[in-house]
Amino acid sequence: MSECDDIESYRAGATVVALASQNRSQPASQPIRFNRQELNEILTVYGRKVAAGEWRDYAIDQLKEKAVFSVFRRASEVPLYRIEKQPRLARKQGAYAVVTPTGLILKRGHDLKNVLRAVEPRRLRIVDA
């Protein structure tokens, strides 16, 4: 086949498909991640708990539907808490959640700072009467 045959088949009504346009219908799904600001807020709480001797280890998972920051007392245990980010729930219940090992959701919301308050006990002060 020569170039003339290709041009003739094109002019005769052959269908030309651009390969780049075929893949646009199915975008490549990338894993969900925590951004720098979110990690800073999580690691601030984590640092306080490590200094208090309550937490010792963590793991970060980047999955297709959610990002998970798991907190451990010891590396060989199940996580004490899972801090999850699920963007598909952002308009409904909130993208962030703190989950216990049994699956109980302690707190869910739109603001990560408020959600992280679930893992920090309130500081009580003694007030003189």
Side-chain angles (χ1 to χ4, degrees):
M1 269 176 109
S2 67
E3 282 185 49
C4 293
D5 292 338
D6 291 338
I7 292 172
E8 291 302 319
S9 64
Y10 174 71
R11 288 184 184 159
T15 305
V16 176
V17 178
L19 295 176
S21 66
Q22 281 184 330
N23 295 333
R24 289 184 187 166
S25 62
Q26 297 175 354
S29 62
Q30 293 188 355
I32 305 299
R33 297 185 176 114
F34 290 107
N35 63 30
R36 185 180 299 264
Q37 181 182 7
E38 294 164 341
L39 276 176
N40 188 25
E41 290 178 13
I42 293 170
L43 290 174
T44 299
V45 173
Y46 177 79
R48 272 186 249 145
K49 292 293 193 171
V50 168
E54 296 179 30
W55 296 350
R56 298 198 197 280
D57 199 10
Y58 71 91
I60 299 176
D61 297 315
Q62 300 171 352
L63 307 173
K64 197 183 278 187
E65 296 180 4
K66 63 184 175 180
V68 181
F69 187 96
S70 303
V71 177
F72 299 88
R73 183 170 290 153
R74 292 181 191 86
S76 62
E77 293 181 349
V78 295
L80 290 173
Y81 298 106
R82 290 188 330 257
I83 301 162
E84 298 182 351
K85 175 184 178 181
Q86 294 183 9
R88 67 181 173 90
L89 296 176
R91 292 188 181 199
K92 298 177 184 175
Q93 304 159 345
Y96 306 104
V98 175
V99 184
T100 64
T102 59
L104 176 70
I105 298 174
L106 290 180
K107 191 159 186 170
R108 181 183 295 276
H110 299 281
D111 184 29
L112 181 59
K113 220 174 238 189
N114 289 334
V115 172
L116 290 175
R117 289 182 186 165
V119 297
E120 290 193 278
R122 294 190 178 145
R123 295 179 181 141
L124 301 175
R125 292 184 283 156
I126 298 175
V127 179
D128 292 332

